[in-house]
Amino acid sequence: MKAIDAVVFHPVGITVDGSGQPYPDAAPALEELDALGVKVIPVSTLSVAALRAAVADASLSPDRVICLTDSEQGVLAAREAGVQPVLMMNDPDEAMRLTSLNPAGGIVSLHELPDFVRLLLARRP
Amino acid sequence: MKKISVYRPTTIEEASRILSSHGNEAAVYAGGTDLLVRLKNRLAQAPAYLVDIKKIDNLRYINEQPDGGVRIGALTKLAEMHESPLLAKKYPMLVKAIGMISSPELRNASTIGGDLLQEVWCQYLRGGYSCWRNGGYLCYGAIGDNSYYHSAMGGRLCYAVYPGDAATALIPYDAKVTLATPAGPKTLTVEQLVPGDLMVDGRIQSHVVRSNEILTEVVIPPPKANMRASFEKLRPRGVWDFAMASLAMSLTVTDNVVDDARVVFGGIAGKPLRETAVEALLKGKPLAQSLAGEIVPQALANAAPLKYNAMKIEMAKGLLASGLTALSA
């Protein structure tokens, strides 16, 4: 896995719950990512076209972008768009099933993402 | 098994130089009961260079100090600690905990330094899964079978529990360790030594020891005359296994009132977990059989069990209840 410049995600299940309420760990984690120089790019849908557009609009190299997702559709779309799929492991059983798709990584909670980025930098400076 | 080279230095300085020259590719080799298993498990992060420190003099001893404390060399076998009359007299709770580590055969090989710094025993890591500690970017324990060896108190990328019993039992005695580092000796409390998952030299590990540092000694202060202590451990197999939950606890008591307390859970978190909220609640309380009923419901309020290990919290609370009852008797 390469070092990353940006994280792309659909907010539901990542930063807000199904009713639109923000998760308490979301804001601090996003601030920390910003401090690490990682762009945070929410998209309205996890389609291949939306992911490609987000990456192009921000002038990013797709292989240095991760797509945070908790669905099979998101993992497959990320792969097709050339970005690195990382699981948000909200449902353990579903997440274990999705590991068979060989995602680039996985986190249990958004508060882990800054550590994910730091470790990535330490391993692949 | 990957090809390895073994160095046999005769001084700490020589060992330190070798470790510094190889970085993360080298590791200290003492008892081998963890390190050699990691090599046999073909873990990606297992070292290619072993620095065998067994030829270094003066790292294997249990010495009483003039102040009444005890110093234990890092190469001292767990069996030697378990059979030490000096430790039994001064720190019986520690000796009980050591006697519950693995099996007699393994205690004859394992060293106290290795026990403190051992790698986690998550079945996914040891099974070669590409997890955080094995060069990957995902914790399989967080989403798979986490019944036994995973945290019920949250995690930080890796959700395996810190497996050592010795550290859990040393913390109530306010024990410290000495590290040999390229910049000279460094002293840490055992709590500081194993603060839980953190990144050290690009790796996730439970302890703070860098790849070019060597743990050389454990120092236990003199026992307090009015201290009572207990250690209990629940494990999947009673003969020998890692803790699903353990508790090392000490109460310092004057006129039947608790002056000070140490409450340290093992087997439920990524580190020996000091439950400071319970310690604060215990201070100033008279010892009585009713104490457990008052304290236990307030323990481990920050529990965050995974899908299959909520019972660990109940086990830990049960240990707290039985420990308080025993120490109140």
Side-chain angles (χ1 to χ4, degrees), chain B residues 68-84:
Chain B
V70 169
R71 291 177 177 267
I72 305 170
L75 288 184
T76 306
K77 307 288 185 187
L78 295 180
E80 291 165 345
M81 291 177 67
H82 185 232
E83 291 157 10
S84 162

Side-chain angles (χ1 to χ4, degrees), chain A:
Chain A
M1 192 171 181
K2 293 185 176 177
I4 62 164
D5 298 321
V7 52
V8 182
F9 56 88
H10 183 265
V12 175
I14 307 292
T15 55
V16 300
D17 65 18
S19 62
Q21 286 297 309
Y23 294 127
D25 62 350
L30 297 180
E31 281 172 25
E32 230 179 312
L33 288 171
D34 186 51
L36 288 167
V38 175
K39 287 180 181 165
V40 174
I41 308 174
V43 291
S44 58
T45 176
L46 279 188
S47 65
V48 178
L51 290 172
R52 282 184 175 147
V55 171
D57 288 351
S59 302
L60 297 164
S61 171
D63 62 350
R64 290 177 64 90
V65 175
I66 65 169
C67 172
L68 209 48
T69 176
D70 61 359
S71 72
E72 180 172 345
Q73 176 211 338
V75 174
L76 297 176
R79 283 231 182 284
E80 198 172 335
V83 302
Q84 306 182 68
V86 170
L87 294 178
M88 175 59 92
M89 304 190 294
N90 292 323
D91 177 325
D93 296 335
E94 176 66 0
M96 188 55 106
R97 190 183 73 79
L98 294 179
T99 60
S100 66
L101 300 175
N102 199 23
I107 54 173
V108 172
S109 166
L110 198 63
H111 84 263
E112 295 180 337
L113 194 54
D115 281 339
F116 186 120
V117 172
R118 286 189 198 98
L119 190 66
L120 202 52
L121 283 170
R123 286 179 180 173
R124 307 280 159 82

